[in-house]
Amino acid sequence: VTIVFHNIYQVKEINLSYNTITLFKCSFGIKNMVVNIDNKLHKISMSRNQLKGIFRNETCFQNDLFSDLRDLNLENNQIESIEDFSFLGLTSLDTLLLGNNKLAKIKNNTFYGLDSLSTLEIQNNFIVSIDSNAFSHFSLLTFLNVDNNLIENFQFSYFKIFSCSITLNSNSIKNIDSIQLNNNNSYLFLSSNRIESLSKGSLRHLTHIYSLE
């Protein structure tokens, strides 16, 4: 089943959870490309469907209709990949939920353009690697859930300039060289990994962290 967003007006929230949708696609007629500010979507929920991937040319997030979108729930699908720049245009998005999918890698431009994001959940995937600048676009992120993946190395230096609580439970992290976080009200969870050693001074920056487990 493919869902096509076409000529949506006077709607703030769309909930299409618990269906068999395989493709996130929208289309607009030429006459309908300009959307009044009062007609913009705020929330889309498409959890528990059969989405296989997120593709930039299909989602049309660059359209004005999505410029005020604040909450996007894509949990419990079968998403294996997200094309670079697919979320470009979602400048107001606050919460992105991608847990319980089949993602294997987070690339540098996977989340590009999500300048307002405060909550990102990518737990319960098959993520093995995260590119070095994958989170460099974020400055307002306060909660990151990466639990139950296959990550061996994690770059904590992304988060040294802003306060963010990070949960990395049940991964495959073996060594920690240096944890750099902006310590104000931050939490860090690292239980059920494969940590064998902590390098000397690896925790020296955590002078005011609220909780470390």
Side-chain angles (χ1 to χ4, degrees):
V1 176
T2 299
I3 185 70
V4 179
F5 291 155
H6 183 71
N7 298 341
I8 296 175
Y9 296 101
Q10 304 300 335
V11 175
K12 296 294 184 182
E13 179 177 342
I14 295 176
N15 190 340
L16 293 166
S17 301
Y18 293 92
N19 282 287
T20 56
I21 300 166
T22 58
L23 180 64
F24 191 126
K25 184 177 182 179
C26 64
S27 64
F28 300 89
I30 294 175
K31 295 180 180 179
N32 299 324
M33 289 297 288
V34 178
V35 182
N36 294 330
I37 191 168
D38 291 335
N39 297 335
K40 295 178 181 177
L41 288 168
H42 288 173
K43 183 176 181 178
I44 297 175
S45 181
M46 298 181 69
S47 65
R48 299 190 180 279
N49 278 280
Q50 298 176 17
L51 296 174
K52 306 292 186 182
I54 305 297
F55 307 102
R56 182 184 180 186
N57 291 332
E58 299 288 352
T59 57
C60 302
F61 285 140
Q62 296 83 4
N63 189 276
D64 193 48
L65 176 67
F66 298 105
S67 62
D68 278 355
L69 191 68
R70 299 165 191 171
D71 193 318
L72 179 58
N73 185 348
L74 300 173
E75 289 183 321
N76 295 289
N77 278 279
Q78 301 173 28
I79 299 171
E80 297 179 354
S81 63
I82 300 173
E83 187 179 6
D84 285 352
F85 307 108
S86 287
F87 297 116
L88 194 65
L90 300 184
T91 54
S92 298
L93 197 69
D94 176 81
T95 301
L96 176 58
L97 307 180
L98 284 163
N100 296 289
N101 278 287
K102 297 181 179 181
L103 293 170
K105 183 175 183 178
I106 302 299
K107 296 179 290 185
N108 284 333
N109 293 312
T110 297
F111 300 121
Y112 187 87
L114 299 180
D115 300 332
S116 299
L117 201 68
S118 67
T119 298
L120 174 61
E121 298 192 2
I122 50 176
Q123 76 279 6
N124 299 316
N125 277 275
F126 299 94
I127 299 171
V128 175
S129 64
I130 299 176
D131 284 355
S132 59
N133 292 310
F135 299 133
S136 63
H137 320 295
F138 300 143
S139 60
L140 300 176
L141 198 68
T142 58
F143 180 71
L144 174 64
N145 187 346
V146 200
D147 284 351
N148 197 26
N149 279 284
L150 304 171
I151 297 168
E152 295 185 3
N153 298 294
F154 188 82
Q155 281 279 4
F156 290 98
S157 58
Y158 305 135
F159 306 98
K160 62 185 178 181
I161 60 173
F162 58 94
S163 298
C164 183
S165 294
I166 305 171
T167 173
L168 282 159
N169 298 323
S170 301
N171 276 277
S172 300
I173 297 172
K174 294 182 179 180
N175 302 300
I176 295 178
D177 293 325
S178 179
I179 299 177
Q180 300 182 52
L181 297 176
N182 184 325
N183 300 316
N184 298 323
N185 300 316
S186 294
Y187 296 77
L188 176 60
F189 298 95
L190 288 164
S191 66
S192 300
N193 275 277
R194 300 179 181 179
I195 298 173
E196 299 171 348
S197 64
L198 293 173
S199 300
K200 183 178 180 180
S202 59
L203 305 180
R204 69 180 183 275
H205 299 290
L206 303 183
T207 54
H208 297 93
I209 194 167
Y210 192 84
S211 178
L212 171 63
E213 297 184 15

